[in-house]
Amino acid sequence: LARRTRGADGLGLGRRARVWMAASVPHFHLPPFFTLQPVAATRAEQLVLWRRCVLEHCRDTRRVSLPVGAAAAGPPFANDQIDRRLDEQARLTVAAALVAAGEAQWVAKAGDPLLLVWWRPIKHWADELSQHLRAGGASGVFTMAELKSADADGPLRGSELFGLGSNLVRAAVAELVRTGRAATFGAKPVGGDDDEVGVKLL
């Protein structure tokens, strides 16, 4: 596999992501696919294919955070081999379809829109976080800074979440809290980050 570079939120793209070619969506290689169709029934079918395309891309390249605004360059919203790309309004339409289907959630809708794409369900990521931390024999109390850390000695080293970005960690923690398997304590400062927020496994 080609070496990939990960950013703080798993946004770094290596060669594998840039040259990705949708194996299960042959329409990705046809220019008309990159223009949303005006007929409602045809557009609905097209959006099903676009959802599949985005999910396959994120699974194959192990991306979770996906820009859909001006920062959206390259696959899955563009195919440089045929010089075609979805415009921003079309990308937002595809994003809305993913969210409506429960396959993604918004991190941000204003400014530069960003999605979390669930190529695996959020329950999977929450389970992975809980099981990995418990298997490590740690105290069961962590700060968000520790959980988001990409350091080699961080508590998530060796887990599926490692290196996939802080947005995914936040979502997994939120799911654990929602299902009664974790609690958070400490307040996030207004306008600040959540590094000092504590997380306790229950």
Side-chain angles (χ1 to χ4, degrees):
L1 298 182
R3 181 177 179 270
R4 296 187 299 120
T5 301
R6 293 190 179 101
D9 278 294
L11 296 175
L13 290 180
R15 181 178 180 276
R16 185 184 181 200
R18 293 195 303 270
V19 302
W20 176 84
M21 303 298 282
S24 69
V25 187
H27 300 72
F28 186 72
H29 309 291
L30 302 176
F33 187 52
F34 290 84
T35 301
L36 293 187
Q37 300 303 301
V39 178
T42 304
R43 176 179 289 214
E45 294 176 359
Q46 187 181 18
L47 287 174
V48 169
L49 294 172
W50 267 111
R51 283 168 41 212
R52 184 189 306 167
C53 187
V54 171
L55 290 169
E56 180 180 307
H57 166 78
C58 290
R59 183 192 66 234
D60 289 351
T61 59
R62 291 187 57 77
R63 295 181 73 185
V64 178
S65 296
L66 183 68
V68 294
F77 297 124
N79 185 339
D80 291 340
Q81 291 197 355
I82 60 173
D83 194 25
R84 290 293 185 274
R85 63 198 76 256
L86 280 181
D87 63 31
E88 184 167 354
Q89 186 55 53
R91 295 195 299 270
L92 291 171
T93 300
V94 172
L98 286 159
V99 172
E103 296 165 340
Q105 75 178 49
W106 291 107
V107 176
K109 293 184 71 173
D112 193 11
L114 182 68
L115 279 182
L116 284 181
V117 179
W118 303 132
W119 47 274
R120 285 188 170 164
I122 182 56
K123 180 182 182 300
H124 170 89
W125 297 116
D127 289 347
E128 169 68 10
L129 176 60
S130 176
Q131 292 165 11
H132 179 81
L133 294 176
R134 292 182 190 281
S139 65
V141 179
F142 306 88
T143 65
M144 284 298 298
E146 290 175 317
L147 296 180
K148 295 184 297 181
S149 173
D151 293 344
D153 58 353
L156 291 190
R157 179 70 180 182
S159 80
E160 286 187 71
L161 292 95
F162 185 75
L164 293 184
S166 57
N167 286 321
L168 177 59
V169 173
R170 290 189 187 99
V173 168
E175 178 68 7
L176 290 177
V177 171
R178 187 188 71 81
T179 54
R181 292 182 286 166
T184 58
F185 54 92
K188 173 183 173 181
V190 176
D193 59 39
D194 57 1
D195 284 356
E196 298 306 312
V197 172
V199 179
K200 178 178 176 58
L201 297 180
L202 302 177

